């Protein structure tokens, strides 16, 4: 990730980058600040560790979080050549659609009950307070994430708020200009570049069979969603997810970025399923593909 050799906070706390990164991993892993100082020797108070974790998180956010945004970079990972390659991998695996390059789904992440604006975060279906994110996954196991939005809203609201529809209409095509599509569950209507299962009273037997086949591949997005919280248990502890205290959205996006980094190193359930490789770390964290504001 090309960390600087040393991180220095606004409070003049210093740490070398390896120690700072280890602190961040322990934090996302669910370790309490009060229990962390014993791992780093004398002089590391919970307050000092908190400053370092916050500082390295801000650095990662500013430097690399565009890599988990579908529209935040000169994204070599989502070029027309790559989208065509993803569609070919899907189809060669047995996906009935030749033009499907990835899958989309929304997920609720439970949070502590907010002190204010509780009704915005309350999801009446699950009967809990939450934030909602949108996941986009590809056959090599990489993930792009949008959000969060209030837990009370529908996945389609998150989709519209993300700007993904507009991005797809411009960028989701082969190098020759043929349209390519994402596939979502039945909660999504059909859009110009998003397809969902056939539904309604007149669904034919062949369409039912197609729905069944597509669900075998769409499940990969659910594997990805589950893997983020599995790798970083703090995200699954709703009592620590306080919307008015701390950058829980930033933590979630950083966790997705680190999950992609791990996929580049050792693969994932999805990449193993498709028997394809994610890019190398050097390719993924490519300094020639920095943030490009306004693209897409």
């Amino acid at each position: 990730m090309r960390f600087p050799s040393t991180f220095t906070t606004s409070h003049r706390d210093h740490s070398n980058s390896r120690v700072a990164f280890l602190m961040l991993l322990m934090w996302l892993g669910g370790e309490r600040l009060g229990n962390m100082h014993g791992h780093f020797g004398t002089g590391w108070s919970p307050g000092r560790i908190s400053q370092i974790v916050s500082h390295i998180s801000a650095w990662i956010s500013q430097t690399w979080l565009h890599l988990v945004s579908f529209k935040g970079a000169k994204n070599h990972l989502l070029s027309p050549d790559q989208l065509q390659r993803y569609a070919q991998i899907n189809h060669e695996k047995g996906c009935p659609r030749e033009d499907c390059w990835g899958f989309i789904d929304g997920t609720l992440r439970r949070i502590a009950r907010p002190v204010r604006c509780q009704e915005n975060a309350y999801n009446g279906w699950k009967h809990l307070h939450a934030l909602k994110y949108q996941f986009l996954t590809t056959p090599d196991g990489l993930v792009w994430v949008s959000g969060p939005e209030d837990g009370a809203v529908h996945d389609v609201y998150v989709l519209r708020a993300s700007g993904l529809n507009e991005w797809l209409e411009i960028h989701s095509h082969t190098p020759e200009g043929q349209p390519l599509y994402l596939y979502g569950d039945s909660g999504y209507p059909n859009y110009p570049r998003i397809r969902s299962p056939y539904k309604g009273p007149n669904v034919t037997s062949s369409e039912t069979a197609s729905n069944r086949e597509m669900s075998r591949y769409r499940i990969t997005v659910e594997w990805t969603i589950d893997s983020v919280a599995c790798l970083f248990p703090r995200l699954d502890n709703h009592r620590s997810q306080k919307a008015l205290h701390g950058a829980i959205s930033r933590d979630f996006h950083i966790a997705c970025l680190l999950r992609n980094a791990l996929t580049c190193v050792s693969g994932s359930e999805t990449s193993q399923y498709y028997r394809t490789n994610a890019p190398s770390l050097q390719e993924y964290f490519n300094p020639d593909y920095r943030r490009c504001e306004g693209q897409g």
Side-chain angles (χ1 to χ4, degrees):
M1 296 178 75
R2 298 178 174 86
F3 291 128
S5 58
T6 303
F7 287 106
T8 303
T9 73
S10 58
H11 292 76
R12 299 184 180 179
D13 292 312
H14 303 274
S15 172
N16 72 62
S17 59
R18 290 186 179 183
V19 170
F21 188 48
L22 180 58
M23 290 177 176
L24 174 63
L25 292 178
M26 292 181 69
W27 168 255
L28 291 174
E31 192 69 70
R32 294 169 61 91
L33 290 173
N35 296 336
M36 288 171 60
H37 68 280
H39 296 278
F40 301 103
T42 59
W44 285 103
S45 67
R48 186 182 177 198
I49 293 173
S50 177
Q51 288 291 327
I52 293 295
V53 169
S54 179
H55 190 80
I56 189 175
S57 296
W59 184 90
I60 292 173
S61 179
Q62 182 178 3
T63 309
W64 293 118
L65 277 200
H66 62 280
L67 292 177
V68 291
S69 168
F70 60 85
K71 62 179 181 179
K74 298 175 179 177
N75 211 323
H76 58 304
L77 301 170
L78 293 177
S79 67
D81 285 323
Q82 276 292 92
L83 301 191
Q84 185 176 50
R85 172 177 169 267
Y86 289 146
Q88 289 171 345
I89 292 171
N90 255 330
H91 189 57
E92 288 170 3
K93 180 65 177 175
C95 179
R97 295 196 66 107
E98 299 181 22
D99 50 11
C100 172
W101 62 268
F103 299 92
I104 183 175
D105 200 5
T107 181
L108 278 175
R109 303 309 309 173
R110 189 178 181 185
I111 61 173
R113 185 173 64 180
V115 177
R116 299 190 297 272
C117 302
Q118 296 180 13
E119 66 279 4
N120 293 339
Y122 186 73
N123 183 277
W125 180 48
K126 294 286 188 178
H127 303 293
L128 49 78
H129 295 87
L131 296 176
K132 182 165 281 192
Y133 297 86
Q134 174 181 271
F135 273 67
L136 187 166
T137 61
T138 48
D140 54 7
L142 295 182
V143 59
W144 287 262
V145 62
S146 305
E149 300 294 339
D150 291 332
V153 303
H154 192 273
D155 286 352
V156 173
Y157 179 93
V158 184
L159 171 65
R160 291 171 179 167
S162 73
L164 179 59
N165 268 327
E166 293 78 7
W167 186 90
L168 290 169
E169 291 196 43
I170 297 172
H171 299 285
S172 186
H173 56 76
T174 67
E176 295 74 33
Q178 295 299 311
L180 295 172
Y181 302 90
L182 291 176
Y183 188 85
D185 64 21
S186 58
Y188 291 94
N190 283 317
Y191 286 99
R193 293 291 190 275
I194 297 177
R195 293 292 181 260
S196 60
Y198 297 103
K199 44 188 177 283
N202 300 317
V203 173
T204 66
S205 58
S206 63
E207 290 172 338
T208 299
S210 176
N211 288 347
R212 186 167 53 250
E213 281 296 300
M214 289 301 296
S215 70
R216 294 174 53 198
Y217 303 95
R218 196 197 65 80
I219 197 173
T220 56
V221 69
E222 298 178 11
W223 295 345
T224 302
I225 291 170
D226 291 343
S227 72
V228 176
C230 182
L231 288 168
F232 303 103
R234 176 170 295 278
L235 305 178
D236 220 23
N237 178 5
H238 72 274
R239 291 181 178 85
S240 70
Q241 302 296 293
K242 299 178 180 179
L244 300 179
H245 301 278
I248 61 175
S249 170
R250 185 177 69 185
D251 285 352
F252 191 84
H253 284 79
I254 288 174
C256 291
L257 177 75
L258 296 179
R259 184 239 175 239
N260 278 355
L262 181 62
T263 296
C264 292
V265 173
S266 57
S268 67
E269 189 172 10
T270 299
S271 64
Q272 292 169 12
Y273 177 74
Y274 282 102
R275 297 184 179 180
T276 190
N277 294 322
S280 68
L281 278 179
Q282 291 73 22
E283 292 169 328
Y284 187 69
F285 292 104
N286 188 332
D288 294 332
Y289 295 96
R290 295 286 184 162
R291 183 188 304 274
C292 181
E293 299 294 349
Q295 179 175 334

